Amino acid sequence: MSELERSGQQWRETAEREDLVLLDGFHALKHALRFGADVRMVVADDPEAVRALAAELAPDVEGEVARLVRGGRLKELVARVHPTGVAALAVRPDRTEGRARLDRQPRTAPVVLLDNPRNLGNVGAVVRLAAGFGATGVVTRGDLDPWHPNVVRAGAGLHYATTVDRVDIATLPAGPVYALDPEGEDIRALSLPDDAVLAFGSERHGISPELRERADHLVSLPMRPQVSSYNLATSVAMTLFHWGGPKQP
């Protein structure tokens, strides 16, 4: 059996584990390693090209990438080969530890709640925003899996830089719920506390009736009349920016 065949066989055997996450592309791998992911396997069409990419773009994880990456026929292992020609498998973070971070009081940054989101790419974009702003986490209600491979792809592996999980009304993280709603108070008149749960509905339907009833505050974003809505990730970005973003060291 050739090295490429052995890599393919090991990938298929490893990928059967339910606790592993597909990291699709170099940037997802880079971010996952930076934030402590337990990466079990990295396969690339051209390992030397991936090592060179790490040396150029991410010297802080260059050694780990060089150690982990091996050759493989990606088109036989993943549904869609990323332009950077690399994919990896990493262990999903422990949910109990993540839940403890969501519930820790006092919190120093809000939690973003997505109420029944439908678009995988939008959820990934929100995870990326939350990681960049230093939010405590992103939680979703509904049947969408926030760890779906397409969400992780859109989030560029930054699921490992924050806490990402699924909840219901009964298990919302502690803290006052600020729900975005067109009938709410203008956000520019408010200060958002660090322990807030910032809740966002879908672009089409808004927040659900049960979450609206659970909310402590309804908040609106400024928007020109006759414009229907903002993109979900745009709404999250404006709200987190109004909150204030990561604290300076």
Side-chain angles (χ1 to χ4, degrees):
M1 182 182 294
S2 69
E3 180 181 351
L4 292 180
E5 290 171 333
R6 283 196 298 272
S7 293
Q9 180 179 342
Q10 185 177 354
W11 177 280
R12 294 183 186 95
E13 292 172 351
T14 305
E16 292 178 356
R17 288 179 43 176
E18 294 183 356
D19 65 331
L20 293 185
V21 175
L22 173 64
L23 302 174
D24 197 11
F26 178 75
H27 295 296
L29 172 62
K30 168 190 71 178
H31 284 136
L33 288 172
R34 280 179 176 167
F35 291 98
D38 180 2
V39 177
R40 294 300 175 89
M41 191 171 184
V42 181
V43 173
D45 289 324
D46 184 348
E48 287 306 315
V50 173
R51 292 186 179 102
L53 198 60
E56 177 185 0
L57 300 180
D60 54 316
V61 296
E62 177 186 0
E64 291 179 272
V65 172
R67 175 179 60 83
L68 288 166
V69 68
R70 65 179 71 178
R73 300 186 182 96
L74 277 184
K75 66 181 180 180
E76 299 176 3
L77 304 177
V78 296
R80 179 175 56 171
V81 177
H82 192 274
T84 54
V86 61
L89 295 171
V91 178
R92 178 171 170 168
D94 183 82
R95 291 189 72 185
T96 302
E97 294 178 3
R99 185 70 213 197
R101 287 191 292 272
L102 293 173
D103 288 334
R104 188 172 297 140
Q105 291 290 316
R107 276 201 310 268
T108 59
V111 172
V112 174
L113 166 62
L114 305 181
D115 188 28
N116 199 32
R118 310 311 305 165
N119 185 284
L120 296 167
N122 274 345
V123 176
V126 169
V127 170
R128 196 167 183 173
L129 281 165
F133 272 97
T136 296
V138 176
V139 296
T140 64
R141 290 186 65 232
D143 55 8
L144 182 147
D145 178 9
W147 281 88
H148 186 284
N150 288 355
V151 180
V152 178
R153 180 187 180 106
L158 284 163
H159 282 59
Y160 290 90
T162 187
T163 300
V164 180
D165 206 350
R166 189 157 38 180
V167 299
D168 55 37
I169 285 288
T171 59
L172 292 183
V177 176
Y178 286 73
L180 275 290
D181 185 88
E183 298 179 8
E185 185 177 358
D186 191 318
I187 195 170
R188 292 170 293 185
L190 301 171
S191 295
L192 300 175
D194 291 345
D195 65 345
V197 176
L198 305 175
F200 301 83
S202 66
E203 288 116 329
R204 177 172 296 183
H205 301 294
I207 59 172
S208 61
E210 58 269 28
L211 183 58
R212 185 185 178 94
E213 183 177 346
R214 171 67 176 77
D216 298 288
H217 307 274
L218 296 180
V219 181
S220 65
L221 294 170
M223 186 165 58
R224 182 180 179 181
Q226 297 183 314
V227 175
S228 299
S229 66
Y230 292 119
N231 173 271
L232 175 61
T234 301
S235 297
V236 174
M238 288 191 288
T239 304
L240 286 175
F241 185 83
H242 182 77
W243 161 64
K247 303 297 187 291
Q248 297 299 318

